Amino acid sequence: MEKREQLYEGKAKKVFATEDPNYVIVSYKDDATAFDGTKKGTIVGKGAINNRMTNLLMRKLEAQGVPTHYTEELNDRETLVKKVRIVPLEVIVRNISAGHFASRYGVSEGIVFESPVLEFSYKNDELHDPLLNDDHAIALGLATRDEIAQIRTYALRVNELLKDTLAAVGVTLVDFKLEFGKTEAGELVLADEISPDTCRFWDSKTGEKLDKDRFRRDLGNVEEAYEEMSRRMWGS
Ligand code: UDP
């Protein structure tokens, strides 16, 4: 499908129209931001790695019954996806305490939860993505009760499938963020990306961080961590 005008530029991706109003092309950038966009940088090669990893995982999820926006990988950085209206919720699933969970509740990182913790925040940069519950989301008209129930079911299934896929390559899935969208036809599908930008990955043996925390926290070897995740996923 032909790439037409740019519709949108986000922090990590650009979105282009195609000749079909039901499809758009996403193009992954090497740009990295953290802390509400106040920290900026470049992670060389990130765009291609995130594009290919997202697509690999979405194909797997799709095959296991989780509908996604994924349609076709066009090249290293670009993918054809179904056009959706994004549900303005960041859907976070946590298996182990880290990041904001640890800071907000005053606990250390690394506490293994008995069952996954699912949380929502309102996707709104001006308000700094405030945490909210189901009733808040419904009252604000962000999603219906049925959509939230469906999102919850999909998110937990994604967690189980990703945990197993990553465990097989020696990676512990600590937590991650998902976004869902609604297609023109009204189908609720998994959208956005699944990558070291949006997940916390710890090496199962050493605990080494293999995700964007290396950039956020200035830990060094940022590119190497993304490349290591790519090697684990493709075994080369
Ligand atoms: N996350 C994300 N985008 C956001 C906020 C969080 O992709 O705007 C991901 C993050 O990479 C981590 C998980 O969601 O894997 C949980 O993040 P947390 O709430 O701990 O916030 P963070 O410390 O990442 O800001």
Side-chain angles (χ1 to χ4, degrees):
M1 227 173 292
E2 192 194 323
K3 188 159 115 186
R4 297 219 172 141
E5 78 277 11
Q6 184 176 310
L7 298 174
Y8 172 81
E9 176 160 9
K11 286 177 261 187
K13 297 188 279 304
K14 294 178 186 176
V15 180
F16 296 89
T18 67
E19 70 261 33
D20 185 331
N22 293 317
Y23 292 89
V24 294
I25 292 171
V26 292
S27 178
Y28 286 73
K29 305 191 287 184
D30 283 353
D31 298 355
T33 64
F35 312 121
D36 272 335
T38 55
K39 182 181 170 82
K40 291 190 174 70
T42 301
I43 302 173
V44 177
K46 170 172 89 76
I49 290 171
N50 288 2
N51 180 44
R52 297 180 61 231
M53 188 181 305
T54 296
N55 295 342
L56 176 80
L57 294 172
M58 287 208 182
R59 284 191 297 263
K60 239 181 226 285
L61 292 169
E62 193 76 62
Q64 310 267 359
V66 180
T68 77
H69 71 163
Y70 173 77
T71 305
E72 186 193 349
E73 188 167 291
L74 302 174
N75 57 54
D76 258 15
R77 276 175 197 275
E78 295 181 324
T79 296
L80 182 70
V81 300
K82 288 181 192 160
K83 182 170 186 169
V84 297
R85 191 172 46 77
I86 291 286
V87 177
L89 291 175
E90 301 210 327
V91 179
I92 292 172
V93 182
R94 302 178 186 276
N95 297 306
I96 297 178
S97 67
H100 274 105
F101 184 95
S103 58
R104 190 186 307 130
Y105 303 117
V107 297
S108 58
E109 295 201 314
I111 301 166
V112 179
F113 302 134
E114 208 147 293
S115 48
V117 174
L118 202 143
E119 76 189 35
F120 298 118
S121 32
Y122 178 19
K123 207 172 133 64
N124 183 318
D125 279 340
E126 266 164 55
L127 299 175
H128 313 292
D129 302 338
L131 187 67
L132 43 61
N133 68 22
D134 300 27
D135 289 341
H136 295 143
I138 294 159
L140 292 167
L142 308 181
T144 65
R145 197 166 295 278
D146 287 348
E147 285 166 351
I148 290 177
Q150 186 68 262
I151 285 173
R152 199 177 276 282
T153 303
Y154 287 151
L156 293 174
R157 199 182 302 165
V158 170
N159 185 43
E160 292 310 314
L161 296 168
L162 289 187
K163 256 199 312 191
D164 290 350
T165 301
L166 291 157
V169 296
V171 173
T172 301
L173 179 62
V174 175
D175 59 26
F176 59 96
K177 185 259 308 181
L178 300 176
E179 293 184 22
F180 290 84
K182 299 234 6 214
T183 64
E184 190 60 47
E187 194 193 6
L188 183 72
V189 299
L190 180 63
D192 196 47
E193 64 179 288
I194 307 172
S195 72
D197 272 16
T198 61
C199 304
R200 285 194 170 92
F201 297 134
W202 292 355
D203 181 276
S204 305
K205 282 213 187 86
T206 65
E208 189 192 354
K209 296 187 197 317
L210 298 172
D211 57 60
K212 195 172 145 188
D213 271 347
R214 300 206 75 85
F215 169 77
R216 293 190 189 97
R217 303 179 186 187
D218 296 317
L219 300 175
N221 294 329
V222 182
E223 275 88 2
E224 289 78 358
Y226 282 74
E227 281 156 19
E228 179 59 24
M229 278 309 302
S230 167
R231 264 194 296 279
R232 301 265 181 124
M233 304 302 293
W234 281 275
S236 64

